[in-house]
Amino acid sequence: MSSLGDLASIGVESLSSVSASRADRLAEMGIETVLDLVTHYPRRYVDRTNQASIDGLVEGQEATVLATVRRVSTRPTRGRRAMVEVDLFDGRGYLHLVFFNQPWRAKQLREGAEVVVWGRVERYRGRRQMTNPLVDSVGDQTGRIVAVYPQSEKAGLASWQIADNVEEALGRYCAGLTDPLPAAIRERERLAERAWSLRATHRPETEADYHAGRRRLGFDELLRLQLVLVMRKRATERHARGIRHSSAGHLVDRFLTGLPFPLTTAQRRAIEEIRADLAGPCPMHRLLQGDVGSGKTLVALVAMLIGVEGGHQAALMAPTEVLAEQHRANLAALVAGLELDGRRDGLLGRREVSVGLLTNRTTAAARKRLQAALAAGTVDILVGTHALLSETVDFADLGVVVIDEQHRFGVEQRAVLRDKGAGGLVPDVLVMTATPIPRTAAMTVFGDLDTTVLDEMPPGRTPVTTSWARGELEEAAAWERVRAEVAAGHQAYVVCPLVEGSEKVVARSATAEHQRLSEGELAGLRVGLLHGQLAASEKDAVMEAYRLGQLDVLVATTVVEVGVDVANATVMVIEDAGRFGMAQLHQLRGRVGRGAERSWCFLLGEGSGEDGPRRLQALVDSSDGFELAEIDLDLRGEGTILGTRQKGVSDLKLASLRRHKKTVALARRVAFELVDEDATLSSHPELAEELRLLVDPEEREYLFKS
Ligand code: ADP
Ligand code: MG
């Protein structure tokens, strides 16, 4: 019997089919152990009985052909480029292949070898031909289904060579592989057995074989990931002592009474969930999701005020300086005039809730003052960037932490803030996303958190009419709409094209765009400029002027993405919209439609990239952030959404958060089932062993400590 850990401890050179030079080449592909080798899964499968035969190929169409190499020859062309010609035969007909500038093909394609080629069928001098097709050498695999491996041209390894090595590894080491998943769960969820699955994935006899095999192995990848997340969640609940926030709720009541609107039902529900978390003995660890404009900031502020009322401090961390500054301004405006009962500085009686700001731009002197105030407990809410994580930031009594992010902070950074609590108590943490993320992604990136969803928008909003303005006429209509809205007393935003480069480069380009528009499309209007390089006071002045209606149009970089809140703004023009991500466009668009007036958003330019047009069209078609998030995941794949920060995501070789949504949910359910039955998996030692391979030693101890 052997485990995955055993396979990981055997080097590939122990296989007789792996020579020293083969071992080097495999290493170049990142394959060093038998485990690496048997988890190097086929890229696709070719079914011999289901292939186009050469004599049936249709000229002008693309086709996959499985055939044997009959003849290979190389000759130079006039331009002294090597030309390799190959004849393939499949028992029914001949196909001629021509490769230009790929001299190594002559070595790759040996006579007698079996290959799978993919390309467009041409006819040249009466022969069927493909020029520079994609080729996988599959060797002389027997069986109906041929597995095609990702081969590495760089390392000079063909699919059939990898197949040979895999074959030996399976036979020698994998037949007795143990299955750590309880049989009862396996049967209930119709998951195949592990050793069988490994063979079925590499050497399937039928299509059903590899489907079942891959499903099981993909499930295992997701289960390992979920087990770590669920164990992390449960370990925190078990080990960390939280603050039992007690507050009579007067401060929050006064704050809410002072608001010009009632809370939505969703906000009230979210606040009750958070209040219960805060009052409880375990530290809160909760994700707050909601569409743009659903009122997340308010919920987060209430969480912080509950902490503040109980005599604790709160921190809000944002991913950029601009966002941090905007949050500070927002929060300061919301709590303006809100008085604390004078319990801490009793002599002075009452004072207002105070909001501080700490970023890398904070001057040394201001920082010093801030640190003193923090230690004295006279700063109630500290807003900032990564700067908050610094060791020198020392709170008197940190009780509530809010992290506003778009997957930009990792688990480690959350942990640093949680360590800033006083007296060994862990502060309560609320994580907010700027726009919704897909459910499967949330389960994975934030799988160690509880989740609250704000699924309701404040009343009185009118959906934004979004159009994709392609071509001069439609763009002219967009600018026409801007002028018409300004004439009607409303305001507009223009978002500058996204440029790569430093903040300085971005600012320069925005400045140029501001000038161009002021002299062109927006001539005669009062046009302001906002970008991240302006001094804080200039930024405030521009925003204030815009808020007061002294500016008609604000030309801005993505700094308007979050926090800007002017209900009189009814049009947004986003230039070169195809270069922005979908979530970002949706977030930007959320800056209009904040009042009762009808609003517009114009996306300018062609959608760049392969799926640019589909992304823009999706925004036109839907104003639902949750729906857009799913489409975004479908279009872009998980890599871009998850980033590489999340441990274990790079181990997802077969599983996809996008294509296997049900399996993701299943893995999560099973993870809870296993952990809640047995928190440290002591009755599933093999499973526990596999997880130990995945996590850092430090976390290992924490997770498995009962
Ligand atoms: P999010 O952060 O979720 O995108 P915000 O917190 O910025 O949304 O809220 C958007 C706007 O809606 C803000 O102007 C906020 O003051 C306002 N708002 C929040 N809650 C309500 C409510 N219950 N009724 C009306 N307006 C609200
Ligand atoms: Mg608590």
Side-chain angles (χ1 to χ4, degrees):
M1 290 309 240
S2 56
S3 68
L4 294 192
D6 295 337
L7 301 188
S9 66
I10 308 171
V12 285
E13 64 286 347
S14 73
L15 297 167
S16 56
S17 63
V18 176
S19 63
S21 83
R22 173 71 60 89
D24 287 345
R25 291 184 196 184
L26 287 170
E28 253 185 77
M29 300 174 72
I31 300 174
E32 294 181 355
T33 68
V34 169
L35 182 63
D36 296 335
L37 184 62
V38 298
T39 55
H40 186 71
Y41 299 112
R43 184 156 54 91
R44 62 198 178 98
Y45 300 89
V46 175
D47 183 344
R48 289 178 198 279
T49 59
N50 199 10
Q51 284 308 298
S53 62
I54 291 177
D55 61 356
L57 293 181
V58 180
E59 206 183 313
Q61 289 191 351
E62 288 172 341
T64 302
V65 172
L66 176 73
T68 309
V69 175
R70 274 298 160 86
R71 198 181 62 88
V72 182
S73 63
T74 306
R75 61 183 164 97
T77 60
R78 244 169 296 148
R80 309 252 317 266
R81 299 187 305 166
M83 177 168 119
V84 177
E85 291 180 281
V86 178
D87 286 311
L88 300 184
F89 183 66
D90 73 345
R92 308 278 293 269
Y94 278 92
L95 177 67
H96 189 69
L97 308 181
V98 191
F99 297 94
F100 292 105
N101 257 344
Q102 303 176 16
W104 46 272
R105 290 288 187 195
K107 269 197 244 146
Q108 180 201 24
L109 302 171
R110 298 248 166 81
E111 282 166 32
E114 239 188 326
V115 294
V116 176
V117 296
W118 181 85
R120 185 179 299 280
V121 182
E122 307 152 6
R123 189 167 281 275
Y124 185 70
R125 295 192 178 151
R127 285 193 294 193
R128 289 197 185 80
Q129 173 173 308
M130 288 183 183
T131 307
N132 291 342
L134 295 179
V135 183
D136 291 301
S137 312
V138 294
D140 50 2
Q141 292 185 46
T142 50
R144 179 155 81 81
I145 311 263
V146 176
V148 181
Y149 288 90
Q151 46 190 33
S152 170
E153 253 126 46
K154 204 169 117 251
L157 272 183
S159 176
W160 66 270
Q161 294 172 304
I162 296 166
D164 273 359
N165 299 148
V166 169
E167 179 68 44
E168 189 193 344
L170 288 176
R172 265 178 71 176
Y173 298 113
C174 300
L177 206 57
T178 52
D179 193 332
L181 190 65
I185 294 180
R186 219 158 60 209
E187 277 157 35
R188 189 188 68 206
E189 307 299 347
R190 295 165 191 275
L191 288 160
E193 196 268 327
R194 182 184 271 174
W196 181 90
S197 296
L198 204 53
R199 175 151 280 281
T201 299
H202 288 288
R203 291 285 166 277
E205 278 166 26
T206 65
E207 199 180 321
D209 279 359
Y210 65 75
H211 281 309
R214 294 174 83 97
R215 174 167 179 266
R216 167 60 205 273
L217 299 178
F219 170 84
D220 284 356
E221 294 172 354
L222 293 165
L223 180 65
R224 285 190 286 268
L225 200 59
Q226 286 300 333
L227 279 171
V228 170
L229 291 163
V230 170
M231 285 179 79
R232 188 183 292 149
K233 177 169 164 32
R234 293 297 191 232
T236 308
E237 291 162 6
R238 203 161 63 237
H239 303 310
R241 274 193 311 136
I243 303 162
R244 293 171 185 264
H245 289 274
S246 65
S247 76
H250 297 313
L251 185 69
V252 171
D253 287 346
R254 258 181 294 151
F255 169 70
L256 292 177
T257 329
L259 284 177
F261 45 74
L263 294 177
T264 64
T265 312
Q267 283 172 318
R268 249 180 287 134
R269 200 185 328 115
I271 288 170
E272 282 324 305
E273 280 174 358
I274 290 169
R275 199 193 286 279
D277 283 356
L278 290 175
C282 295
M284 170 170 75
H285 213 190
R286 187 171 282 280
L287 174 70
L288 179 63
Q289 281 221 67
D291 208 343
V292 182
S294 58
K296 294 183 289 290
T297 312
L298 208 63
V299 173
L301 176 55
V302 169
M304 294 193 280
L305 288 177
I306 294 173
V308 169
E309 174 164 15
H312 306 281
Q313 290 162 302
L316 189 162
M317 181 163 72
T320 67
E321 284 178 6
V322 173
L323 290 183
E325 283 163 19
Q326 283 171 359
H327 271 306
R328 193 215 44 95
N330 254 345
L331 296 184
L334 280 164
V335 301
L338 185 66
E339 287 191 337
L340 282 169
D341 302 320
R343 54 182 154 45
R344 251 177 296 175
D345 28 12
L347 285 177
L348 298 171
R350 293 164 166 261
R351 69 169 173 82
E352 289 185 7
V353 172
S354 69
V355 182
L357 175 71
L358 179 69
T359 70
N360 288 335
R361 279 207 232 161
T362 308
T363 61
R367 203 181 164 104
K368 220 165 168 189
R369 276 198 304 278
L370 194 61
Q371 271 160 356
L374 269 184
T378 50
V379 171
D380 301 301
I381 298 176
L382 181 62
V383 181
T385 54
H386 289 84
L388 295 185
L389 300 173
S390 155
E391 267 175 36
T392 58
V393 177
D394 214 351
F395 292 86
D397 184 358
L398 181 60
V400 178
V401 170
V402 175
I403 301 178
D404 180 17
E405 67 162 31
Q406 300 166 307
H407 342 306
R408 288 189 229 206
F409 296 114
V411 172
E412 308 80 23
Q413 285 156 316
R414 265 188 253 151
V416 171
L417 276 179
R418 296 175 59 220
D419 281 345
K420 287 191 184 285
L425 296 181
V426 173
D428 292 81
V429 175
L430 184 69
V431 177
M432 289 198 289
T433 61
T435 55
I437 59 174
R439 225 168 71 86
T440 51
M443 280 181 191
T444 311
V445 186
F446 299 106
D448 51 348
L449 275 62
D450 294 308
T451 307
T452 293
V453 177
L454 290 183
D455 52 4
E456 182 190 358
M457 293 298 242
R461 310 250 168 119
T462 37
V464 180
T465 306
T466 301
S467 33
W468 178 13
R470 272 161 290 188
E472 272 175 44
L473 277 180
E474 289 177 33
E475 288 192 8
W479 298 116
E480 202 47 50
R481 171 60 62 190
V482 171
R483 295 180 151 277
E485 284 301 296
V486 169
H490 297 305
Q491 288 162 286
Y493 297 102
V494 177
V495 179
C496 294
L498 201 58
V499 294
E500 300 280 330
S502 63
E503 290 260 10
K504 272 208 184 83
V505 175
V506 174
R508 209 178 309 132
S509 131
T511 308
E513 190 58 17
H514 172 256
Q515 180 163 6
R516 191 186 71 79
L517 289 169
S518 304
E519 290 163 3
E521 282 87 348
L522 303 177
L525 305 185
R526 296 170 300 170
V527 185
L529 172 65
L530 187 67
H531 60 68
Q533 282 290 97
L534 296 176
S537 59
E538 288 175 274
K539 245 182 273 178
D540 288 346
V542 173
M543 276 317 300
E544 191 57 13
Y546 190 68
R547 225 171 270 137
L548 294 173
Q550 294 161 355
L551 291 171
D552 301 315
V553 183
L554 193 59
V555 173
T557 58
T558 51
V559 297
V560 294
E561 195 179 328
V562 169
V564 176
D565 197 356
V566 176
N568 190 44
T570 53
V571 202
M572 173 172 284
V573 177
I574 304 178
E575 299 195 67
D576 206 1
R579 302 197 56 182
F580 294 90
M582 257 170 88
Q584 200 172 18
L585 288 171
H586 182 60
Q587 177 73 29
L588 284 166
R589 170 171 69 176
R591 302 303 108 198
V592 293
R594 301 210 142 211
E597 307 286 346
R598 188 167 170 207
S599 298
W600 286 266
C601 175
F602 294 95
L603 308 174
L604 263 47
E606 294 302 320
S608 61
E610 202 179 320
D611 42 52
R614 282 170 68 201
R615 281 190 279 133
L616 296 187
Q617 191 57 44
L619 276 143
V620 170
D621 294 339
S622 175
S623 57
D624 178 341
F626 286 93
E627 189 182 326
L628 291 171
E630 295 289 344
I631 296 174
D632 200 21
L633 179 61
D634 277 344
L635 289 178
R636 290 196 306 163
E638 42 255 29
T640 39
I641 292 197
L642 299 179
T644 47
R645 200 194 285 283
Q646 179 73 24
K647 259 219 173 62
V649 166
S650 54
D651 298 328
L652 296 185
K653 294 179 175 173
L654 290 175
S656 153
L657 303 184
R658 170 169 49 133
R659 283 174 285 119
H660 307 137
K661 294 188 173 120
K662 281 198 194 127
T663 315
V664 177
L666 173 64
R668 185 159 179 80
R669 266 202 320 278
V670 171
F672 270 111
E673 183 180 340
L674 290 169
V675 174
D676 285 342
E677 214 168 74
D678 178 356
T680 58
L681 298 180
S682 53
S683 55
H684 303 289
E686 287 150 355
L687 210 47
E689 194 51 47
E690 283 177 23
L691 299 184
R692 288 201 174 90
L693 295 175
L694 266 186
V695 293
D696 299 331
E698 216 173 290
E699 186 172 29
R700 212 173 292 161
E701 195 177 312
Y702 181 68
L703 294 186
F704 291 98
K705 183 174 73 185
S706 51

